Amino acid sequence: MEKLKNILVVGGTHGNEMTGISLLQYWANSDYLQRPGLNIDTLLANPQATQLGRRYVDYDLNRAFTKELLDKSNETRSEDIKRAREIAEIYSENGSKFWPDMVIDIHNSTANMGQTLIINNPHPITRSIVAHLAQEFPMVKILQEPILGDNNPYLASIGKLDLTVEIGPQPHGTLNADLFFSTEKLVQRVLDLIVQYNENKLPLASLETTYFEQSDAVDYPRNSKHELDAMIHPNLWGADYQALEKGAKVFVDFSGNAIQWKGETTWPCFIGEVAYLEKKIAFIKTDKKTALW
Amino acid sequence: MEKLKNILVVGGTHGNEMTGISLLQYWANSDYLQRPGLNIDTLLANPQATQLGRRYVDYDLNRAFTKELLDKSNETRSEDIKRAREIAEIYSENGSKFWPDMVIDIHNSTANMGQTLIINNPHPITRSIVAHLAQEFPMVKILQEPILGDNNPYLASIGKLDLTVEIGPQPHGTLNADLFFSTEKLVQRVLDLIVQYNENKLPLASLETTYFEQSDAVDYPRNSKHELDAMIHPNLWGADYQALEKGAKVFVDFSGNAIQWKGETTWPCFIGEVAYLEKKIAFIKTDKKTALW
């Protein structure tokens, strides 16, 4: 890949995730995002949902960037899908703005995610950038999601390279000042590292890096009416990215009976994330790996 | 007051506050709420909002129990106000159920509220019950709200005595198992203490008790567009019920400048509660007091 020039920094893809929304408000009154050689744009992705203080209006915007949903020949009444089409058009090869070389999309989680850097498109440049950030920032974890290619539903997939930043724990709608300032520093460093790459000062595949590779999702135990029949066990609550071994307590039912993990060792994340309840996800399983990134 | 007989235990007054909602689900399959001499009913207050996973449908149900809003001669299209009228009718002197001697209404907060017992109607029986709970449970705090009398907007005001239980910190929509079990024990003890009172075994005004008396509310600093211009300072985050002294850091703006507390010493609570954003409340001021309760 040639130099990275056009960078899109996104907040408010989910309208109740305040770190990104407030960072955009802050950056709008400053020149902090300027960098030599870079054309940096910011986007409040879902202003309607932000106004409502809700994750989305009628459809999760961050699941709306599939080929099918973006296809204008399919009629839609969804405000969020209409907004996805608008964004995908503006930031496309022939759009009114530019086709982003990299999209940086800032999210929050109620789970203890620290500063998780999520990659879907595993390009060596992105890998090198996140590997350097993991060395520099104690709260950074790297999550490699499955490669979804052409039919990726996430907003960041409109870029040639994608980087989703997942900050937590923070209840949706609230704003934790420590997380705000540490995320501000983190995004600034991403831009610095892009400049370094453009100046041929960012060696690729040079750092021994620990990352977490997402496998499948695990639902809560449910009763015959599909209601939750158990909660995350206190031992697991907040223990994102820590090894969950066979036999460890994973859920607890309302009578206090612990339920043990029957699978192989996994490193769960998004534990108890509230927005994943509707997706029937109690946590995401990952495998802990090491490689030169 | 004579013996307390008719007790109403409420969850889901706010549809995304899961401790009470899940406790009702648990108790429905058990006889744990039975007590000699007591007629105990449970109520899922806002099933529509619970279904939606939102605080309310169109109006905060826990602000809908004023005389004016309950007055049926005032037409309303609000689902929540209709529901308030329904509840107030069922649980009234001539209603299909009973006029509660005490309402116990279980809520959650994103703030670090522990197990706050909120009293609006400062009756000696309620005071004695919460004073005993504060002795027994390390997480219990007592919040005496202003006496609103006949025009109290809270659901618990439909009872002769009221007790609102405010559990936190817990992001709305999530369920913390530790808080679930400790709240289960707490409500069970409330019922035990009511039985003790009925048996003349609960001495009133006998315990030296620390409580917090609510004064007014404090909003966030805002810019000219009424947007938040600052966050809760990290020193104050989670410091509910701890003394906030003149000169201490209370907010921090997006550039990192701390804002100092200019008022007299106060003991803030509901710090950063997300549902209070729309009410323009960053935290509630209280005075710390001691009395025989």
Side-chain angles (χ1 to χ4, degrees):
Chain A
M1 185 178 265
E2 302 196 355
K3 289 184 180 181
L4 275 55
K5 186 181 171 222
N6 296 313
I7 311 295
L8 180 61
V9 181
V10 182
T13 297
H14 293 131
N16 56 5
E17 300 185 5
M18 300 307 294
T19 302
I21 293 166
S22 300
L23 283 171
L24 292 188
Q25 182 189 332
Y26 173 59
W27 288 323
N29 301 311
S30 74
D31 53 7
Y32 298 133
L33 287 191
Q34 290 186 12
R35 289 294 185 289
L38 297 191
N39 182 17
I40 301 172
D41 207 3
T42 59
L43 173 72
L44 180 66
N46 201 334
Q48 266 197 75
T50 303
Q51 187 65 33
L52 292 168
R54 293 220 305 262
R55 183 174 174 87
Y56 53 78
V57 182
D58 54 53
Y59 191 91
D60 191 337
L61 179 63
N62 208 35
R63 301 293 184 278
F65 287 83
T66 61
K67 271 189 168 173
E68 191 189 342
L69 292 175
L70 292 179
D71 181 351
K72 283 185 182 170
S73 64
N74 296 325
E75 234 181 281
T76 183
R77 290 186 177 182
S78 162
E79 294 296 326
D80 302 282
I81 292 171
K82 283 180 202 162
R83 178 62 176 155
R85 291 176 183 181
E86 194 173 73
I87 292 169
E89 188 165 290
I90 296 171
Y91 294 99
S92 64
E93 212 163 351
N94 302 310
S96 55
K97 293 274 188 165
F98 52 64
W99 186 17
D101 293 313
M102 178 175 273
V103 174
I104 304 163
D105 189 12
I106 305 164
H107 287 255
N108 287 121
S109 173
T110 61
N112 189 19
M113 296 294 280
Q115 296 181 308
T116 292
L117 304 174
I118 304 176
I119 305 177
N120 275 276
N121 174 2
H123 194 281
I125 299 175
T126 324
R127 286 185 162 167
S128 178
I129 288 171
V130 301
H132 280 80
L133 293 168
Q135 277 209 331
E136 294 176 20
F137 291 87
M139 282 172 69
V140 162
K141 293 280 186 293
I142 301 171
L143 182 60
Q144 171 70 64
E145 292 204 340
I147 301 162
L148 297 162
D150 264 3
N151 218 16
N152 186 323
Y154 304 115
L155 185 147
S157 68
I158 63 171
K160 293 174 201 165
L161 303 180
D162 65 75
L163 182 54
T164 298
V165 185
E166 188 73 62
I167 307 297
Q170 182 173 282
H172 296 314
T174 68
L175 188 53
N176 179 302
D178 282 330
L179 293 176
F180 175 91
F181 292 119
S182 57
T183 305
E184 211 277 323
K185 283 198 190 78
L186 181 80
V187 176
Q188 295 290 356
R189 279 300 291 157
V190 174
L191 300 175
D192 292 343
L193 290 165
I194 292 172
V195 173
Q196 280 188 35
Y197 167 77
N198 286 343
E199 293 171 349
N200 298 313
K201 291 176 188 161
L202 187 78
L204 305 187
S206 65
L207 292 179
E208 178 99 344
T209 301
T210 296
Y211 65 99
F212 296 86
E213 190 170 277
Q214 177 175 327
S215 54
D216 44 355
V218 176
D219 190 13
Y220 293 88
R222 291 176 186 271
N223 65 20
S224 57
K225 286 184 278 183
H226 306 289
E227 297 165 335
L228 297 194
D229 214 14
M231 302 169 270
I232 302 289
H233 192 279
N235 291 2
L236 186 65
W237 189 265
D240 299 70
Y241 298 116
Q242 295 174 35
L244 176 65
E245 315 270 1
K246 190 181 284 190
K249 293 169 179 171
V250 57
F251 296 110
V252 56
D253 73 17
F254 296 145
S255 303
N257 303 306
I259 296 162
Q260 292 182 324
W261 180 242
K262 293 202 175 73
E264 295 304 311
T265 302
T266 186
W267 288 262
C269 65
F270 283 109
I271 297 170
E273 161 58 40
V274 60
Y276 286 1
L277 261 176
E278 66 180 18
K279 304 183 201 303
K280 296 196 186 300
I281 295 174
F283 57 84
I284 299 281
K285 279 169 61 182
T286 81
D287 294 313
K288 188 174 183 177
K289 301 202 165 179
T290 305
L292 271 190
W293 268 29
Chain B
M1 184 177 266
E2 304 195 355
K3 289 184 179 179
L4 275 55
K5 185 180 172 224
N6 296 314
I7 311 295
L8 179 62
V9 181
V10 182
T13 297
H14 294 130
N16 56 4
E17 301 185 5
M18 299 306 294
T19 302
I21 293 166
S22 300
L23 283 171
L24 292 189
Q25 182 189 332
Y26 173 59
W27 288 323
N29 301 311
S30 73
D31 52 9
Y32 298 133
L33 287 191
Q34 290 185 13
R35 289 294 186 291
L38 296 191
N39 182 17
I40 301 171
D41 207 3
T42 58
L43 172 73
L44 180 67
N46 202 335
Q48 266 197 75
T50 303
Q51 188 64 34
L52 291 168
R54 294 220 305 262
R55 183 173 175 85
Y56 53 78
V57 181
D58 54 54
Y59 192 89
D60 191 337
L61 179 63
N62 207 34
R63 300 293 183 279
F65 288 82
T66 63
K67 271 187 168 174
E68 192 190 340
L69 292 174
L70 292 179
D71 182 351
K72 283 186 181 172
S73 65
N74 296 325
E75 234 182 282
T76 183
R77 290 187 178 182
S78 162
E79 294 295 326
D80 302 283
I81 293 171
K82 283 181 204 163
R83 178 62 176 155
R85 292 176 182 179
E86 195 173 71
I87 292 169
E89 189 165 288
I90 295 171
Y91 294 99
S92 64
E93 211 163 352
N94 303 310
S96 56
K97 293 275 187 164
F98 52 63
W99 186 16
D101 294 313
M102 178 176 273
V103 173
I104 304 163
D105 189 12
I106 306 165
H107 286 255
N108 287 120
S109 173
T110 61
N112 188 20
M113 296 294 280
Q115 297 180 307
T116 292
L117 304 174
I118 305 177
I119 304 178
N120 275 275
N121 174 2
H123 194 282
I125 300 175
T126 325
R127 285 187 163 165
S128 178
I129 288 172
V130 301
H132 280 79
L133 294 168
Q135 276 208 333
E136 294 175 20
F137 291 87
M139 282 172 69
V140 162
K141 294 279 187 293
I142 300 172
L143 183 59
Q144 171 70 63
E145 291 205 338
I147 301 164
L148 297 162
D150 264 3
N151 217 15
N152 185 323
Y154 304 115
L155 185 148
S157 68
I158 62 171
K160 292 173 200 163
L161 303 180
D162 65 73
L163 183 54
T164 298
V165 185
E166 188 72 64
I167 308 297
Q170 182 173 282
H172 296 315
T174 68
L175 188 53
N176 179 302
D178 282 330
L179 293 176
F180 175 91
F181 292 118
S182 58
T183 305
E184 212 275 324
K185 282 198 191 79
L186 182 79
V187 176
Q188 295 290 357
R189 279 301 290 158
V190 174
L191 300 176
D192 292 342
L193 290 165
I194 292 173
V195 173
Q196 279 188 36
Y197 167 77
N198 287 342
E199 294 171 349
N200 297 312
K201 290 176 187 159
L202 188 77
L204 304 188
S206 65
L207 292 179
E208 178 100 345
T209 302
T210 297
Y211 65 99
F212 297 86
E213 190 169 277
Q214 177 176 326
S215 54
D216 45 355
V218 176
D219 191 13
Y220 293 87
R222 291 176 187 271
N223 66 19
S224 57
K225 285 185 278 181
H226 306 288
E227 296 164 336
L228 298 193
D229 214 13
M231 303 168 269
I232 303 289
H233 192 279
N235 292 0
L236 187 64
W237 189 264
D240 299 71
Y241 298 116
Q242 295 174 35
L244 176 65
E245 315 270 2
K246 189 181 283 188
K249 293 169 180 171
V250 58
F251 295 111
V252 56
D253 74 16
F254 296 144
S255 303
N257 303 307
I259 297 163
Q260 292 181 324
W261 181 240
K262 293 202 174 72
E264 295 305 311
T265 302
T266 187
W267 288 261
C269 64
F270 283 109
I271 298 170
E273 161 58 40
V274 60
Y276 285 2
L277 262 176
E278 67 180 17
K279 304 184 200 302
K280 296 196 185 300
I281 296 173
F283 56 85
I284 299 281
K285 280 169 60 182
T286 81
D287 294 313
K288 187 175 183 176
K289 300 200 166 180
T290 304
L292 272 190
W293 268 28

